[in-house]
Amino acid sequence: MAPRATALRLVAKRTLTPSLCQTMKMRYSTVPLAYDLHEPAKPSVGNPNKNSPIVFMHGLFGSKKNNRTISKVLARDLGRSVYAIDLRNHGDSPHDPHHNYTAMAADVGDFIKQHDLKDPCLIGHSMGAKAAMTLSLTSPTLISSLISVDNAPIDARLESDFARYIRGMKEIESSEVTKQSQADSILQSYEPSVTIRQFLLGNLHRPRHPESQVQKFKVPLSIIGKALDHLGDFPFKDPREVRFEKPALFVRGTKSKYVPDEVIPLIGQFFPRFELVDVEAGHWLISENPEAFRRAVVEFLSPKE
């Protein structure tokens, strides 16, 4: 299970400034993304989209392994291949000083091209959802559909504990722990929830070094720490300038604040063919209510009569 939802406060819509326009047009150096491929045992009979794969993206501090179970289930139920990927600076993917949605979207776009994926569906949770939305708006011809899991195309300020988590994780690294139990003991003073601590400590690993047992985090803490202030932002502000005209599904948790009712009209402006499904869960709805999430995705991606 992943950690509980964090509070979120909407930020007033900003005017698109010249500097932001330049940032959106910037071509970042992309990184090759690590991934796990989950193949269906039996292709879906009678499904015209059976050869259209799914690209699944995790959230902040997550990795491809968090989506392993649901990816296997979706591959089975839909008869489609599912690529669970590690976004930049997460899991087994390379580190890069640029950690924003434009750069992440560029990575995923290159991944789709390099693997010659035809009309994939993008599924992204939280940070991964904004990366997926960004790619769908910048390169709509690359993908067939979009599933955004508990996030919206808005600027929002995260009133979260992420900065505190970074401090705790940095203390763990400076303490040169050799056991996860030692790391957990340090992290207890930063986060009381066992579930959240286990989620964060899932990033710990022992680098290949024959003379050291010291554990480090796969996530580059300094890079993520500097990026936190902007991870609530969305690179597009004006739906009159860019839209995704293909099918889109927005799944939100009923106990989460990430997709409030007042942003639904804006979702419809950016994604005019969107559907909305509410799942009885918090922000981490894939792990909290996997069956409801599975049903929503399968219904959305199954052939319509």
Side-chain angles (χ1 to χ4, degrees), residues 16 21 24 236-243 270:
L16 194 62
C21 284
M24 288 167 53
F236 296 99
K237 317 301 174 187
D238 190 348
R240 295 171 300 181
E241 296 181 351
V242 60
R243 291 184 180 184
F270 276 116

Side-chain angles (χ1 to χ4, degrees), residues 68-79 291 294 298:
R68 183 176 299 154
T69 299
I70 189 64
S71 293
K72 292 179 179 179
V73 169
L74 292 177
R76 178 199 68 195
D77 291 354
L78 291 166
E291 175 55 24
R294 183 199 66 82
V298 170

Side-chain angles (χ1 to χ4, degrees), residues 38-50:
H38 304 282
E39 297 273 21
K42 297 180 180 179
S44 178
V45 178
N47 184 351
N49 298 316
K50 65 183 180 181

Side-chain angles (χ1 to χ4, degrees), residues 117-130:
L117 305 186
K118 303 300 184 184
D119 299 321
C121 170
L122 300 184
I123 302 179
H125 172 252
S126 195
M127 180 183 75
K130 280 193 171 178

Side-chain angles (χ1 to χ4, degrees), residues 255-272:
K255 302 174 185 177
S256 173
K257 299 180 180 179
Y258 275 71
V259 189
D261 289 342
E262 56 264 32
V263 309
I264 294 176
L266 182 63
I267 292 175
Q269 294 174 43
F270 276 116
F271 304 94

Side-chain angles (χ1 to χ4, degrees), residues 269-288:
Q269 294 174 43
F270 276 116
F271 304 94
R273 294 181 60 187
F274 88 102
E275 301 174 29
L276 179 66
V277 172
D278 287 338
V279 169
E280 187 67 23
H283 180 57
W284 306 90
L285 61 90
I286 297 175
S287 60
E288 294 176 37

